[in-house]
Amino acid sequence: MFRDLAGYTTYQQAPASSLPRLPADWQWNRLAAVGRQVRETGRPDLPLLSVYLGRGVIPYNEGGARVHAPSERLDAYQVVRPGDLVLNNQQAWRGSVGVSPHHGIISPAYIVWRNTGAITAQYAEHLFPASVMVDQFVTASRGVGDIQRDLHRPSLRNVLVPLPPLDHQAAIAAYLAYANARIEKAIAAKRRLVRLLDEMDRSIDNNLAGAIDTRADSNSDIEWLGSIPPSWDAVPAKRLFVEVDRRSSTGSEGLLSLRMREGLVDANEFTETPIPSTDLVGYKIVRPGEIVMNRMRAAIGLFGVAKKEGLVSPDYSTLKVTRGVDPDFYLHLFKTDAAMAEFRRRSNGLGTGSSGFMRLYYEDFGPMSLPLPSIDEQRMVVRTIRRQRSETMPLRSRAQREVALLQEFRNRLVADVVTGQIDVRAIAASLPSTPEPGDDLGALTDDNLQELPREARIEHAASQ
């Protein structure tokens, strides 16, 4: 026996070295001992549900249709009842699991697990997405590679569940609900700041076009943009950008990822499972100074300028700039509202607007009339935009870093609490039954926040 800073006095030995020790009055139980797999079908009248990474079980329409596409016939879909554990068979190893608060139906490919009274739905909601469980789902999965790995049912049944007494479960659920709400409040404030800074950057880009419109003595114009200075030319895009299509024979050049905010960056910075070079054979090679366009998302300004040689999706357009063209000037131009509206008009395919399968092909982009200032004026505009954005960059980087730290803290906190490493019973007993005064997100909403001066909006968002 020993006293631990977590608050418990005794711990029992863990059944495996990879698992933490539990307090003496807790138990490790096989998943099969606290529930059973169920497969109830024949209820196509119930609402369709999805398991969404990081969000758990949600109504299908709240996932933006970015998860599995539903079958036309829903008779074989499985019934899910409130409190059921639902696991995405192929993605549980990544944490795509959740305890359902809804009554609905889910894909036949998923696993529905009905818990017994030994584990409460409120405790289970925090437990099963926690690292102590997800790490076991990894070892209970089988497959080649890290894209899709199926749960091995016999191994799943033997996954170990930390089970505290019911009164401890209630205390843990109450504490984590309260703590998570406060952490989520802090994360939401940081994300509001990032959205505000994005809005300011977009305003800076749009002012590029606005400045052109207000220039005196304009005697030429571009239909989608408006008037341009007399010293500027209006030329078709194909005179400034030539589409090139170089394909990799080895896939060894390194994959680049085109992202809205960061631009064209090393894909390894945003994934834990790099794609093997053999899978990149046939990808397009892009070289420094060239512009990459995501054809399907050109209408929302998804362009990037390559800083180094690498590979991009075969579905992207790679554009080599001609002499007298600063690619960064046109990168900013392509992100203006006016340019995105024109890209949307010129895109073709299935769907409407910026949704569906609309693509902007070079054949439609090439005839588009673009302004051509002198190279010195292009570079001057780029320097001005960079100087204006220099005040937002440190704030954004700090806010994004703080969001990542808050998420990491929340994950660690949940993992410690649901395994009894921290005793929260006393804290849970003292929590208010109703929100404390002033514990909301503040009097300013996203709508009336826009009425504040720019400097005041930054100060308010940074202080949240």
Side-chain angles (χ1 to χ4, degrees), residues 308-455:
K308 65 177 184 178
E309 182 172 309
L311 301 177
V312 296
S313 167
D315 197 42
Y316 290 177
S317 285
T318 51
L319 306 172
K320 182 179 180 180
V321 301
T322 59
R323 187 174 181 180
V325 169
D326 185 323
D328 289 308
F329 171 82
Y330 287 94
L331 178 66
H332 292 300
L333 179 65
F334 294 161
K335 291 179 179 292
T336 63
D337 290 342
M340 290 189 289
E342 180 65 9
F343 293 151
R344 188 158 47 248
R345 189 184 72 81
R346 290 174 176 270
S347 297
N348 59 79
L350 301 174
T352 59
S354 60
S355 61
F357 293 95
M358 301 292 290
R359 284 181 170 84
L360 179 64
Y361 292 101
Y362 182 76
E363 292 76 12
D364 301 302
F365 169 75
M368 179 177 171
S369 187
L370 296 178
L372 178 60
S374 69
I375 187 65
D376 290 337
E377 287 185 281
Q378 293 176 47
R379 291 169 178 166
M380 179 190 68
V381 170
V382 171
R383 287 195 300 270
T384 300
I385 289 176
R386 287 176 177 169
R387 184 172 62 251
Q388 291 173 336
R389 285 189 170 186
S390 64
E391 67 181 72
T392 66
M393 289 176 62
L395 286 171
R396 177 187 288 107
S397 296
R398 187 180 71 184
Q400 291 172 330
R401 184 169 61 254
E402 289 171 346
V403 167
L405 290 172
L406 284 165
Q407 291 172 329
E408 181 181 344
F409 169 74
R410 175 168 56 188
N411 293 339
R412 183 69 263 171
L413 177 67
V414 171
D416 285 344
V417 171
V418 298
T419 57
Q421 310 309 299
I422 301 175
D423 187 349
V424 298
R425 287 173 293 176
I427 300 175
S430 66
L431 293 178
S433 56
T434 57
E436 297 176 2
D439 205 31
D440 58 9
L441 291 180
L444 285 175
T445 65
D446 284 342
D447 290 335
N448 60 34
L449 184 62
Q450 307 311 313
E451 299 173 5
L452 293 176
R454 175 182 177 188
E455 294 78 7

Side-chain angles (χ1 to χ4, degrees), residues 82-93:
D84 286 350
L85 168 65
V86 184
L87 305 98
N88 182 328
N89 181 46
Q90 295 179 331
Q91 296 292 322
W93 65 275

Side-chain angles (χ1 to χ4, degrees), residues 98-127:
V99 174
S100 179
H102 308 287
H103 186 198
I105 53 176
I106 201 81
S107 167
Y110 288 6
I111 295 174
V112 180
W113 195 272
R114 190 150 299 159
N115 298 313
T116 67
I119 183 168
T120 67
Q122 294 77 17
Y123 171 66
E125 176 186 348
H126 299 287
L127 170 67

